[in-house]
Amino acid sequence: MKDFQSVSLPANVATQVRTMARKRRLSANRMLVELIENGIAAEKQKQEEFFDLAERFRSATDPKEIKQLGDQMGRMVFGG
């Protein structure tokens, strides 16, 4: 059984979705599903990378490595 979710998109985003869908010969609905699935997968990947980095940070003993890993974690959390 499919769940249905109604979503309002800003006009510029809707235009981009329709353009992408036409180029790929998909419906706008299918294009949205693919974009959302890709976004979810990317978010999961980012979380895994962060937790792997956090584990390396926790187990590091070299002060230089600790600083480098801490800086990387900071960039992941706060951007930059």
Side-chain angles (χ1 to χ4, degrees), residues 13 24 35-36 51 53 64 66 79:
V13 173
R24 301 231 354 243
L35 290 168
I36 291 167
F51 290 128
L53 186 60
K64 208 172 184 179
I66 291 169

Side-chain angles (χ1 to χ4, degrees), residues 28-40:
N29 210 43
R30 182 65 208 153
M31 190 75 242
L32 281 170
V33 170
E34 285 191 18
L35 290 168
I36 291 167
E37 288 172 343
N38 290 342
I40 290 169

Side-chain angles (χ1 to χ4, degrees), residues 49-75:
E49 288 172 10
F50 178 79
F51 290 128
D52 289 345
L53 186 60
E55 184 56 39
R56 287 176 45 210
F57 178 78
R58 279 194 294 274
S59 63
T61 55
D62 176 36
K64 208 172 184 179
E65 183 183 15
I66 291 169
K67 180 179 178 351
Q68 179 200 12
L69 293 170
D71 289 347
Q72 281 182 289
M73 287 176 62
R75 283 191 299 277

